[in-house]
Every structure is written in structure tokens, then in C-alpha cells.
Amino acid sequence: MSPPRPRPSGRLVRPYVVTEGRAHPSRSTLDLVTLLIAADGPSPSGLGPEKRRLTELCRPGALSVAEVAGYLSLPVSVTKVLVADLMDSGHIVALAPIPAALPSDARILKEVLDGLRARL
């Protein structure tokens, strides 16, 4: 008879159970740096434990998708599915990251610099 196997430490529920078998979020707009804020609307009482915890994490202020994934100890892909569900139900509001500015035209920058030098 072999000795009893130790129970694995950490998470006992598989990620696909948390996302109800889905591998992709209903929205493709979520990025690692998308900021999440808990909405004042619906009560989180009917949510599962991971979704409830996610809304509680975002209640005091904004957190990024990456931060939420870290706090929940879930893969980012799983976190995105949960966030998309919570956005669809009105529990979470997402603020998209500010897009990077386009590089300025070197000619315009040179003209500005020449104009500043002429004034000084």
C-alpha cells in the first residue's frame, strides 16, 4: 500500500471551472493596463466567489487587469473572462488605457525650436 499523497497546495478549482468553460472574454478591449472600477449599481451578492472578490478589490479605487489577476492568483486570461462578465452585468467599469501619442514631425519640432531661439 502506497503512502497517502499530499494534497496540492494552492488553488483547488481549475480555471476553466471559474470561467464556466470559456477560454475567451466576451470583449476584446481588455488590456493588461486597463483600469477597473467597481460600479455603484448592482449588488455583488449573487456572484460567485472570484467575481465577488474581484468587485471588492476594485471598490476602493482603480486597479489594472494585471493587478487584479495577481491579487486573485489567477491567470490573466481567466481574469479577463471574469472582468468581461462583470462589465456585461454592470458590476465593473473599465477605463481603457490612454493611447500612445503619435511621434511628432521633426520639421515642426525644428521650427518650434528655431522660433524659441529667435525670441531668447
Side-chain angles (χ1 to χ4, degrees):
M1 189 170 178
S2 63
R5 295 173 64 185
R7 292 187 72 159
S9 62
R11 192 161 205 79
L12 297 176
V13 177
R14 298 279 187 196
Y16 60 81
V17 173
V18 174
T19 63
E20 299 168 359
R22 292 170 294 133
H24 302 288
S26 62
R27 300 165 182 254
S28 61
T29 57
L30 297 171
D31 196 0
L32 285 175
V33 293
T34 300
L35 294 177
L36 308 173
I37 301 170
D40 291 334
S43 168
S45 60
L47 300 175
E50 289 82 9
K51 289 181 180 178
R52 192 175 320 114
R53 178 78 176 119
L54 197 153
T55 57
E56 290 169 359
L57 284 170
C58 297
R59 189 141 324 270
L63 288 176
S64 70
V65 171
E67 290 172 314
V68 169
Y71 284 125
L72 294 177
S73 299
L74 289 173
V76 172
S77 58
V78 172
T79 304
K80 285 182 177 183
V81 172
L82 296 177
V83 168
D85 289 350
L86 291 169
M87 289 172 65
D88 293 342
S89 66
H91 288 90
I92 291 287
V93 176
L95 302 174
I98 298 172
L102 296 174
S104 299
D105 185 11
R107 179 184 55 80
I108 293 173
L109 292 175
K110 184 172 178 348
E111 288 178 16
V112 169
L113 183 59
D114 290 344
L116 289 172
R117 284 185 179 150
R119 294 203 74 160
L120 298 175

